[in-house]
Amino acid sequence: MVAGRVMVVGGTHGNERNAPWLLEAWRRHPALLRSSGLGLELVLGNPAAHAAGRRYLDQDLNRSFVPALLDAPEPGDRELRRARELLALHGPEGRAPCLVALDLHSTTAAMGNSLVVYGRRPADLALAAGMQQRLGLPIYLHEQDQAQTGYLVERWPCGLVVEVGPVPQGVIQATICRQSQLALEAALEVLAEARCGALRQPVRLEVHRHLGSLDLPRHDDGSPAAVVHPQRQGRDWRSIGAGEPLFLTAEGVTIPFHPQADQADGAVRAVFINEAAYGEKGIALSLTRREAWPVEPAWGQALQGLARNLQTPG
Amino acid sequence: MVAGRVMVVGGTHGNERNAPWLLEAWRRHPALLRSSGLGLELVLGNPAAHAAGRRYLDQDLNRSFVPALLDAPEPGDRELRRARELLALHGPEGRAPCLVALDLHSTTAAMGNSLVVYGRRPADLALAAGMQQRLGLPIYLHEQDQAQTGYLVERWPCGLVVEVGPVPQGVIQATICRQSQLALEAALEVLAEARCGALRQPVRLEVHRHLGSLDLPRHDDGSPAAVVHPQRQGRDWRSIGAGEPLFLTAEGVTIPFHPQADQADGAVRAVFINEAAYGEKGIALSLTRREAWPVEPAWGQALQGLARNLQTPG
């Protein structure tokens, strides 16, 4: 593996403004970010969408990193072109290669300061475990969802999403920025430790494993027939039991939660409740199961193997 | 004055979703809205922007109702065309005339359930006073601001804005909908009372009179050099004194509030703090002074004179 840096991305979605604000501040004053001695690439994910103040122009950039799409000839789609460009620039074989991608997002859901990990790559799990050890962040493990693929971080050897909320789209809030920075600095600390071959892993990793997503009830014409129940709004990471309020119709009728067969045993917990951008994806919230996993030494070995190729600044 | 209805508008901004959700619900089930026996026109303000999920397409529809612009020949601007269309349809001399415009908005600022009144038209003040008497809503009196003009409700003989928040753009929340509906029903109750010539006015009206707006500090290139201070975020309607924290720079420096000469005596209160859509207008927050005004009988007479021409349904 060639040597490379850590890519720190903000503004993958153009209407999420907190991380781009941080990137700009760190560019002007590098001393504001504690980088643990690692070489960083600070990257505005989707500059055109950022300029327009929109999540994306043609399609969601953070669903555009699909191998088949990337291989297609001359995409007309602006996000697909940007995805190719980012890989050509900072992909592991890019001109200024990066080995790790840390993608800073915000959400309108009350997720707090949290991580999203895609699948079970050992290095990702080691990084997430180290961050959780430091800050106690909850982790949403997203996997086995054929409807949602093509995430940016999946195209780098190691990477995860920092997801902070609630904050409206288009709004910068100092507390959201502070949380994002804390998460990033924890990640860099873990990576620096791994780079020295001195990674101290925790005993266990707590994840919220993705079970599936629920859409709002809809009329025949596709328009919503209900909204998230006020007793569910803002209660991300909390358990939801069979029969508990889930949605509320315009007529005031409460629609309770009916778990499916594979969701029935043990507490199910909801995440990304009423995230603004997921309405168009048909997602009102996602369901997870909280699980405590023993941390495997192989995860740390994978992260250390990769991190020893991380460059220092300059 | 010809007879007319009450126009209830939602979705004047296409990314404010709560009022359009209510309009759709009331169209399907008219009994869900207590209309106090008044004939209503339920109007989606900017259907094209609503379909696109954006505040507007070409320019802010709620700054497009400027007489000079409306008189210009054949506007190419889509919002200007929509403004003309709304006036032709439901203006006081329109094909299905309306005498009162109630424009339901939401905001990312922590405004609670509130009203915005533009200027000091007697009928508007009577309507606002009656709503405040019923629900205790705070009122933002917007006037003498040459930078912000062309509001929809100003083109109708009587009208005001219901402004509810905080809620992210693109998100429907049951509590926001409930507050919007309560405010609308209170307005209709006041109008129905005025229609019968039986308006009971309160003794006083409390307003927050607009003093001016503040932009974020900016770098030479126009980019923000600070964000709203975390101790100011979410504190709409609260007083802010000289020297109190206002903004926070990326370097962590607190910028205190320096009142101008006309803001120095008595408490100044901030509204629309960190509203997402106002960044492009150069407004980080607006300053007001809270004042208690004696309610004038002439206000009620103006509202009753107008309301006696309000139609019943059908």
Side-chain angles (χ1 to χ4, degrees):
Chain A
M1 187 178 282
V2 300
R5 297 178 164 220
V6 176
M7 179 171 73
V8 178
V9 190
T12 295
H13 296 130
N15 54 10
E16 298 175 10
R17 315 297 287 190
N18 292 273
W21 157 258
L22 288 170
L23 293 181
E24 183 61 23
W26 299 330
R27 279 202 195 96
R28 289 176 188 267
H29 309 284
L32 291 174
L33 178 65
R34 204 159 47 83
S35 64
S36 295
L38 296 173
L40 308 182
E41 291 284 352
L42 306 180
V43 176
L44 184 60
N46 194 339
H50 179 80
R54 291 160 56 186
R55 182 174 172 92
Y56 57 81
L57 298 179
D58 294 324
Q59 67 164 356
D60 191 333
L61 176 60
N62 205 28
R63 304 294 184 278
S64 299
F65 288 81
V66 178
L69 282 172
L70 292 172
D71 295 341
E74 280 200 30
D77 179 293
R78 284 169 285 186
E79 271 74 22
L80 204 47
R81 284 210 300 272
R82 178 60 178 159
R84 285 188 181 205
E85 183 177 58
L86 282 172
L87 281 169
L89 273 171
H90 300 303
E93 280 93 41
R95 295 200 290 283
C98 291
L99 306 182
V100 179
L102 302 171
D103 194 10
L104 308 181
H105 286 252
S106 63
T107 170
T108 67
M111 294 288 275
N113 196 358
S114 66
L115 306 180
V116 186
V117 174
Y118 300 89
R120 306 189 182 199
R121 298 190 300 188
D124 293 352
L125 295 176
L127 176 58
M131 294 174 72
Q132 186 174 70
Q133 183 180 25
R134 279 161 177 78
L135 297 177
L137 306 176
I139 297 168
Y140 173 34
L141 183 85
H142 193 267
E143 64 176 6
Q144 296 181 332
D145 185 344
Q146 295 311 316
Q148 300 294 325
T149 59
Y151 294 94
L152 179 148
V153 299
E154 295 183 288
R155 295 278 77 74
W156 273 259
C158 173
L160 48 73
V161 158
V162 174
E163 190 72 72
V164 189
V167 64
Q169 296 172 343
V171 170
I172 300 172
Q173 287 184 4
T175 51
I176 299 292
C177 293
R178 181 80 191 124
Q179 289 173 292
S180 306
Q181 177 156 353
L182 281 173
L184 173 60
E185 289 177 342
L188 298 174
E189 207 177 281
V190 175
L191 291 170
E193 209 176 82
R195 181 173 178 276
C196 307
L199 186 67
R200 290 161 300 170
Q201 290 196 279
V203 174
R204 58 174 205 135
L205 171 70
E206 186 184 275
V207 299
H208 290 74
R209 180 168 62 79
H210 178 78
L211 300 176
S213 298
L214 296 180
D215 192 13
L216 295 172
R218 293 186 182 272
H219 296 296
D220 290 343
D221 64 2
S223 64
V227 298
V228 169
H229 197 281
Q231 290 178 35
R232 190 58 42 205
Q233 178 70 40
R235 293 173 65 86
D236 298 79
W237 306 109
R238 311 278 192 90
S239 66
I240 174 171
E244 288 185 0
L246 181 62
F247 300 124
L248 183 69
T249 71
E251 300 90 323
V253 176
T254 293
I255 299 178
F257 176 54
H258 291 299
Q260 295 179 1
D262 63 332
Q263 299 161 359
D265 59 322
V268 170
R269 292 166 187 271
V271 296
F272 284 112
I273 299 171
N274 215 354
E275 155 57 39
Y278 291 177
E280 67 177 24
K281 300 181 195 295
I283 298 175
L285 52 83
S286 291
L287 300 173
T288 69
R289 172 161 301 126
R290 187 155 81 181
E291 297 178 354
W293 294 355
V295 169
E296 297 177 16
W299 301 352
Q301 288 154 16
L303 186 62
Q304 291 191 156
L306 184 149
R308 80 165 63 97
N309 297 304
L310 286 175
Q311 294 170 313
T312 53
Chain B
M1 186 178 282
V2 299
R5 297 179 165 219
V6 176
M7 178 170 73
V8 178
V9 188
T12 295
H13 296 132
N15 54 9
E16 298 175 11
R17 315 297 288 190
N18 291 271
W21 158 257
L22 287 169
L23 293 180
E24 183 61 25
W26 299 330
R27 280 202 194 97
R28 288 176 190 266
H29 308 285
L32 290 175
L33 178 65
R34 205 161 45 85
S35 64
S36 294
L38 296 173
L40 308 182
E41 290 284 350
L42 305 180
V43 175
L44 185 59
N46 195 338
H50 179 81
R54 291 161 56 187
R55 183 174 171 93
Y56 57 80
L57 298 180
D58 294 323
Q59 67 165 356
D60 191 333
L61 177 60
N62 204 28
R63 303 294 183 278
S64 299
F65 287 82
V66 179
L69 281 173
L70 292 173
D71 294 343
E74 279 200 30
D77 179 294
R78 284 169 285 186
E79 272 74 21
L80 204 49
R81 284 210 301 271
R82 178 58 177 161
R84 286 189 181 203
E85 183 177 60
L86 283 173
L87 280 169
L89 272 171
H90 300 304
E93 280 92 41
R95 295 200 290 283
C98 291
L99 307 182
V100 180
L102 302 171
D103 194 10
L104 308 181
H105 286 252
S106 63
T107 170
T108 67
M111 295 287 276
N113 196 358
S114 66
L115 306 180
V116 187
V117 174
Y118 299 89
R120 305 188 183 200
R121 297 190 300 187
D124 293 352
L125 295 176
L127 175 58
M131 294 172 73
Q132 187 174 68
Q133 185 180 25
R134 281 164 175 77
L135 297 177
L137 306 176
I139 297 168
Y140 174 33
L141 184 83
H142 192 269
E143 64 177 5
Q144 296 180 331
D145 185 343
Q146 296 310 316
Q148 299 295 326
T149 57
Y151 294 94
L152 180 149
V153 299
E154 296 183 287
R155 296 277 77 76
W156 273 260
C158 173
L160 48 73
V161 157
V162 173
E163 190 72 72
V164 188
V167 64
Q169 297 172 343
V171 171
I172 300 172
Q173 288 184 3
T175 51
I176 298 292
C177 293
R178 181 79 190 125
Q179 288 173 292
S180 306
Q181 177 156 354
L182 280 173
L184 173 60
E185 288 177 343
L188 298 174
E189 207 176 283
V190 175
L191 291 170
E193 209 175 82
R195 181 174 179 273
C196 306
L199 185 66
R200 289 161 300 168
Q201 291 195 280
V203 173
R204 61 176 203 132
L205 171 69
E206 185 184 276
V207 299
H208 289 74
R209 183 170 60 79
H210 178 77
L211 300 176
S213 297
L214 296 180
D215 191 13
L216 295 172
R218 292 184 184 273
H219 295 296
D220 290 343
D221 65 0
S223 65
V227 298
V228 169
H229 197 282
Q231 291 178 35
R232 190 58 42 204
Q233 178 69 40
R235 293 172 66 85
D236 299 80
W237 307 109
R238 310 279 192 91
S239 66
I240 173 170
E244 289 186 357
L246 182 61
F247 300 125
L248 183 69
T249 71
E251 299 90 324
V253 177
T254 293
I255 300 177
F257 176 52
H258 291 300
Q260 295 179 0
D262 63 331
Q263 300 160 0
D265 58 321
V268 170
R269 292 164 187 273
V271 297
F272 283 112
I273 299 171
N274 216 352
E275 155 59 37
Y278 291 178
E280 67 176 25
K281 301 180 196 294
I283 298 175
L285 51 83
S286 292
L287 300 173
T288 69
R289 173 160 300 126
R290 187 157 80 182
E291 298 177 353
W293 294 356
V295 169
E296 296 178 16
W299 300 352
Q301 287 155 16
L303 186 62
Q304 291 191 155
L306 184 151
R308 80 165 62 99
N309 297 303
L310 286 175
Q311 295 170 312
T312 52

